[in-house]
Amino acid sequence: NAGVTQTPKFQVLKTGQSMTLQCAQDMNHEYMSWYRQDPGMGLRLIHYSVGAGITDQGEVPNGYNVSRSTTEDFPLRLLSAAPSQTSVYFCASSYEHSLYGYTFGSGTRLTVV
Amino acid sequence: AQTVTQSQPEMSVQEAETVTLSCTYDTSENNYYLFWYKQPPSRQMILVIRQEAYKQQNATENRFSVNFQKAAKSFSLKISDSQLGDTAMYFCASSWAGSYQLTFGKGTKLSVIP
């Protein structure tokens, strides 16, 4: 049972480049989300999905795009990377809305130069 | 909107001693959930303990327990018999029934000193 798998673990991008952070879970969780973690800021919600074909914005959605074509996968796309997007990104999933807590992936450290 | 405040950016404790991490929150909801997450240097987010707001009994998980004061909107974490492996960032978080969002505090960095 792999839980929540994020790839890559580390990435360096140049300003203006695009890339996709991958997230997959094998627990049949309906809810998936993306957070970014910045020093002194805690974790902030970027986008979330309550099921295949359904996504919505979180607190800090600008510059990011998501889609959910299957229950298992929830990729996060950076359209045109900016230095302000340098951060650690976490994918999380859950069965129901927050009752059981969330299972997190191991994170992706992204640096935009 | 919910807010979560952790007023202690850093704390330290001697090994085998007890430490309490503070958390306050603000919500207009009646049915909500509270969590403490641990993030060791490995970066992995680990659920330590959770509390349902309608349950008055404080949650306990081995050496970890909470002091849930609903009227005061306070949710502190007590770690007993601190161990070196408890060294980590600790995040308090909240969510309310019917929502899919988890709101985090800014974290407390805990160092356990040998």
Side-chain angles (χ1 to χ4, degrees):
Chain A
N1 191 345
V4 178
T5 302
Q6 281 186 243
T7 56
K9 295 191 184 303
F10 300 93
Q11 183 71 48
V12 178
L13 286 180
K14 294 182 179 179
T15 298
Q17 285 184 318
S18 63
M19 80 159 294
T20 298
L21 306 184
Q22 301 292 343
C23 177
Q25 52 93 6
D26 61 358
M27 299 170 285
N28 202 32
H29 285 171
E30 59 181 15
Y31 172 67
M32 297 184 75
S33 57
W34 278 101
Y35 290 84
R36 60 176 289 172
Q37 181 181 10
D38 302 293
M41 298 296 292
L43 280 77
R44 293 180 293 169
L45 182 65
I46 304 171
H47 285 285
Y48 64 95
S49 168
V50 302
I54 306 170
T55 63
D56 206 346
Q57 296 181 350
E59 180 184 355
V60 288
N62 292 339
Y64 307 95
N65 199 4
V66 293
S67 61
R68 183 110 177 257
S69 57
T70 66
T71 300
E72 294 78 19
D73 299 300
F74 190 44
L76 177 72
R77 298 181 186 84
L78 279 69
L79 308 174
S80 178
S84 61
Q85 294 178 304
T86 293
S87 187
V88 178
Y89 292 85
F90 286 96
C91 179
S93 71
S94 173
Y95 274 119
E96 293 185 14
H97 46 79
S98 72
L99 177 60
Y100 300 107
Y102 297 77
T103 301
F104 282 82
S106 58
T108 297
R109 179 175 293 277
L110 175 68
T111 302
V112 182
V113 298
Chain B
Q2 293 193 338
T3 60
V4 177
T5 302
Q6 294 179 251
S7 58
Q8 305 151 314
E10 294 191 38
M11 295 188 72
S12 61
V13 62
Q14 292 287 339
E15 193 175 7
E17 296 295 310
T18 296
V19 64
T20 299
L21 280 59
S22 300
C23 173
T24 58
Y25 61 93
D26 189 19
T27 181
S28 58
E29 302 290 332
N30 290 320
N31 190 8
Y32 53 91
Y33 311 103
L34 299 165
F35 306 90
W36 278 98
Y37 279 88
K38 171 186 178 181
Q39 186 181 43
S42 67
R43 202 169 68 197
Q44 185 69 43
M45 294 291 287
I46 303 166
L47 178 62
V48 174
I49 200 165
R50 69 182 180 98
Q51 175 83 39
E52 296 169 81
Y54 63 87
K55 289 186 176 180
Q56 294 191 351
Q57 185 174 3
N58 290 326
T60 300
E61 290 287 342
N62 300 314
R63 296 183 296 107
F64 299 88
S65 62
V66 297
N67 183 6
F68 176 45
Q69 301 289 328
K70 190 171 183 177
K73 295 184 178 177
S74 172
F75 183 62
S76 59
L77 175 69
K78 185 173 80 171
I79 305 174
S80 303
D81 186 25
S82 296
Q83 301 176 359
L84 296 179
D86 296 333
T87 293
M89 283 289 290
Y90 286 83
F91 292 97
C92 181
S94 71
S95 185
W96 62 97
S99 165
Y100 293 88
Q101 298 193 15
L102 194 58
T103 301
F104 286 87
K106 294 183 178 182
T108 296
K109 183 178 181 180
L110 177 67
S111 299
V112 180
I113 302 167

